[in-house]
Amino acid sequence: MTDFFDINTIAFTLWGYSMSYLELIGVSTGGLATWLVARNNTWTWPVGVLSAVLFFFLFYQIQLYPDMFLQVFFVITYLRGWWRWTHPEADEVVRQRELRVSRLTTRELLTWLSAGSLVTVLLGTSASRLHEWFPVLFTKPSAFPYLDSFTTTMSIIATFLMIPKKLECWYLWLIIDLISAYMYYVKGVKLVSLEYLIFCYFALEGARNWTREYRTYSHLHREGAVQ
């Protein structure tokens, strides 16, 4: 069973690229979770938990340590998101107990981005020293410590914004996915890189769907006022 979590346990080789079970199933479940969330489907959260567990082992083995720690956060927040989407507060319900899409204020957006920038610098500095502080656990230096820390930090912020259905989360995911696709390609997990390029499409699709949903609320309010 432990061999399954080894990136060197190969499922098949195609066009000279060796595909591990870990990468294959991690990508498959991650893609499914993203497709589901873009369509407001609550099953995105349990599927996302499975994907995060698999990617934890994958990122450790390719020295993307901030990304590895990010998966722990994802497991916790995905479970919280599952509860949040299925148990909205009374003032957040729009139709059939569905959580309403909303937007950030300018002040909220600037606060999130400023905090994210500060945490990126602190996390990147720490990630670059992990192999010196804990040589037994981290035998190799972190790959892309600051770039990886940026995508990790912004992923946490985007997840926090996604749980209450803030529309801006999708534009942040688009930036994260573009940078992540580059890092994964360089580190040799090319299917993961391809997946994140596809995630860019999902981010655009999610933004389009949520924007359309957001715009329906004014129509619903007008109907309610008439009634």
Side-chain angles (χ1 to χ4, degrees):
M1 180 64 180
T2 55
D3 289 343
F4 171 82
F5 295 99
D6 189 338
I7 198 172
N8 295 311
T9 302
I10 305 302
F12 60 85
T13 299
L14 182 64
W15 298 324
Y17 181 71
S18 298
M19 177 67 61
S20 67
Y21 287 101
L22 188 60
E23 182 179 0
L24 177 62
I25 300 177
V27 166
S28 300
T29 52
L32 177 59
T34 304
W35 182 83
L36 290 170
V37 76
R39 284 155 181 78
N40 280 341
N41 191 310
T42 56
W43 277 101
T44 184
W45 302 110
V47 175
V49 168
L50 175 59
S51 178
V53 170
L54 296 175
F55 277 131
F56 175 91
F57 292 97
L58 176 67
F59 292 142
Y60 174 75
Q61 294 175 73
I62 61 175
Q63 298 86 53
L64 291 177
Y65 301 136
D67 251 350
M68 178 193 75
F69 292 125
L70 176 63
Q71 306 313 305
V72 178
F73 165 82
F74 278 161
V75 168
I76 296 171
T77 52
Y78 287 171
L79 292 173
R80 179 173 180 268
W82 194 4
W83 173 266
R84 188 82 165 79
W85 278 34
T86 54
H87 298 79
E89 300 294 334
D91 61 346
E92 296 173 323
V93 175
V94 57
R95 286 188 302 266
Q96 298 177 351
R97 294 191 57 79
E98 179 184 327
L99 185 64
R100 182 177 59 205
V101 175
S102 58
R103 300 197 66 170
L104 293 172
T105 64
T106 301
R107 182 176 181 178
E108 288 172 335
L109 180 60
L110 291 176
T111 299
W112 278 114
L113 293 180
S114 298
S117 299
L118 177 60
V119 173
T120 293
V121 174
L122 296 175
L123 182 59
T125 301
S126 299
S128 66
R129 304 294 297 276
L130 281 176
H131 66 291
E132 299 175 0
W133 295 340
F134 308 102
V136 175
L137 292 175
F138 304 98
T139 58
K140 297 179 181 179
S142 176
F144 307 109
Y146 289 97
L147 200 58
D148 192 15
S149 295
F150 173 80
T151 57
T152 294
T153 301
M154 293 304 171
S155 292
I156 292 173
I157 291 175
T159 302
F160 273 125
L161 297 180
M162 178 173 286
I163 289 173
K165 288 192 176 181
K166 295 297 181 180
L167 177 59
E168 290 80 4
C169 73
W170 287 114
Y171 299 103
L172 192 53
W173 280 124
L174 179 60
I175 297 171
I176 294 166
D177 294 339
L178 284 171
I179 296 174
S180 297
Y182 163 75
M183 289 193 299
Y184 300 148
Y185 182 84
V186 172
K187 291 302 296 181
V189 282
K190 295 180 180 178
L191 185 61
V192 181
S193 177
L194 176 60
E195 179 185 42
Y196 273 74
L197 286 177
I198 296 173
F199 283 173
C200 292
Y201 166 76
F202 285 151
L204 291 172
E205 181 72 5
R208 184 180 70 86
N209 290 340
W210 285 27
T211 298
R212 183 172 57 196
E213 177 72 17
Y214 180 76
R215 289 173 178 170
T216 65
Y217 302 151
S218 60
H219 174 67
L220 291 174
H221 291 325
R222 285 196 299 269
E223 286 185 347
V226 171
Q227 295 172 357

